[in-house]
Amino acid sequence: MPRWKALPDELDPQIREFASQLRRLVDRSGLSVSAVADRTGYSRTSWERYLNGRLLAPRGAVAALAEVTGTDIDHLTTMWELADRAWSRSEMRHDRTMEVRRVSRARAALGTAEEAGAGAATEAGAAGAGPREPAPDEPTDLLRDEPRDPPRHPLPAAPPVRPLAPPPAPPPGSPPAPPARAAGAPAGGRGRRRVLTALAAGVGLLLVAVAVVLLVDPGGAGDDGDGRTAPPSSRAPTTAPGTPLPAGVKCAGAGCAGRDPETMGCGGEFATTVSRARVGPARVEVRHSVTCRAAWARLTGAAPGDTVRVTAKGIGGQEALVDADGDAYTPMVAVAAADDARACATLKGGAVGCTGG
């Protein structure tokens, strides 16, 4: 049985070449994926995703692998940069495809509503227009709109129209009356109604535009399922003004709270183990990143169902569950110093142990 699974067919050639290069480095080192995970500080689950092309390894993981395998980091970083650009292009194509689908659905929904409104208006206009007069050379029998059956409830006859009496003549010497309004000129009330109708139409168009925007982009770009696309809060790292973050690091301080340390670039070369403890056959550690001003807990050598938790002074903790890989790490908590964080492990057998006693 081959050691590696076949890479996905839809992978970009640059990403495929980079993943293959990572596999060759691991093969030459003679290390297992678990050993690579233990020596680089990245979990076995993450390395399986990197080596199978499901997720692009962050720069920190690449640097850690180069150090473990004795590879020239500059050459490996160059290949990573090419793969990173290819991965970004793939994400852009995916986002454009999803945007086109959302726009198509929005247009279809709006088009259906407009057609229904136009049909109702046409029926109303036809009902209110009444029968038209036939043209001089048009057969009258084709334009008759008489009911086939006589109406069951005939309408009452309209009362006779009385002619209007002419206005009384003005007395001699009175000022002339203002000229009468021309026939067909709009009255003041009718003009106001037209203005209100135009304003209502403008408001309706504005509401339709807002609905289209919400349908096209209801909440911004989402995640692709492997954690590659960062959430909006992590794209703008929280750090001191004027202090740039190293390449590959995406958060700092409170902006890292609850985030994955590997996805945010806080692991690898930017992290150290500041304290550890043994809990039965397992080992629990506190991992701390000075660059990200955050800490997280890692549990190795455990069994599925064991849990690990990290807490910080005055801050709620983060927890993770061990899966079939036998290890796990928690999301991050923001800390001012490495000593502020504490990691605890709880095994299914009931054993509990924490760093720092």
Side-chain angles (χ1 to χ4, degrees):
M1 178 177 180
R3 181 180 184 183
W4 305 113
K5 298 179 181 179
L7 293 172
D9 295 335
E10 64 273 12
L11 273 185
D12 185 278
Q14 294 286 359
I15 303 173
R16 178 182 294 274
E17 181 182 0
F18 181 68
S20 300
Q21 181 63 34
L22 294 183
R23 290 181 173 186
R24 285 192 291 270
L25 292 178
V26 174
D27 287 337
R28 283 206 302 263
S29 68
L31 299 173
S32 65
V33 178
S34 297
V36 171
D38 187 62
R39 298 190 183 188
T40 59
Y42 291 80
S43 71
R44 176 181 174 180
T45 303
S46 297
W47 273 114
E48 287 178 348
R49 293 177 178 177
Y50 305 154
L51 296 170
N52 290 326
R54 295 173 52 198
L55 184 66
L56 181 66
R59 183 189 288 266
V62 173
L65 181 63
E67 181 180 357
V68 168
T69 58
T71 306
D72 190 318
I73 190 173
D74 293 332
H75 296 165
L76 194 58
T77 301
T78 300
M79 294 188 65
W80 176 84
E81 291 174 350
L82 295 175
D84 184 61
R85 285 195 288 267
W87 191 281
S88 300
R89 290 193 300 269
S90 300
E91 287 185 338
M92 291 176 62
R93 288 194 296 268
H94 174 75
D95 292 342
R96 283 196 297 267
T97 301
M98 297 305 296
E99 181 179 357
V100 169
R101 292 180 180 176
R102 288 195 295 266
V103 171
S104 299
R105 288 196 297 267
R107 287 176 175 171
L110 292 176
T112 302
E114 291 177 358
E115 290 174 2
T122 303
E123 292 177 1
R132 63 185 180 89
E133 293 295 330
D137 56 349
E138 187 175 4
T140 56
D141 57 340
L142 297 179
L143 295 177
R144 291 175 182 171
D145 192 16
E146 298 176 355
R148 296 183 178 180
D149 298 327
R152 298 181 181 179
H153 303 286
L155 298 176
V161 180
R162 297 180 179 179
L164 297 176
S174 60
R181 186 173 52 220
R190 186 180 303 173
R192 286 193 295 272
R193 285 196 298 272
R194 290 182 178 178
V195 173
L196 292 176
T197 302
L199 290 176
V203 173
L205 291 175
L206 180 60
L207 292 176
V208 171
V210 172
V212 171
V213 172
L214 293 177
L215 287 172
V216 171
D217 190 7
D223 188 272
D224 63 0
D226 282 332
R228 176 59 185 166
T229 302
S233 59
S234 66
R235 293 175 190 158
T238 304
T239 185
T243 304
L245 293 172
V249 178
K250 302 177 182 179
C251 70
C256 293
R259 307 297 184 192
D260 188 307
E262 295 185 13
T263 304
M264 295 294 103
C266 297
E269 60 181 317
F270 299 110
T272 57
T273 298
V274 296
S275 60
R276 61 172 58 90
R278 281 284 179 183
V279 186
R283 182 177 66 179
V284 61
E285 303 171 332
V286 172
R287 299 279 290 172
H288 177 254
S289 173
V290 176
T291 303
C292 296
R293 302 197 303 278
W296 60 97
R298 183 173 67 181
L299 182 64
T300 57
D306 297 344
T307 59
V308 59
R309 182 176 179 83
V310 63
T311 56
K313 293 181 179 179
I315 303 176
Q318 300 287 342
E319 188 171 313
L321 180 68
V322 177
D323 56 14
D325 295 332
D327 57 23
Y329 63 92
T330 68
M332 294 183 284
V333 293
V335 294
D339 295 339
D340 292 345
R342 187 185 189 200
C344 294
T346 303
L347 307 186
K348 289 195 306 181
V352 178
C354 301
T355 59

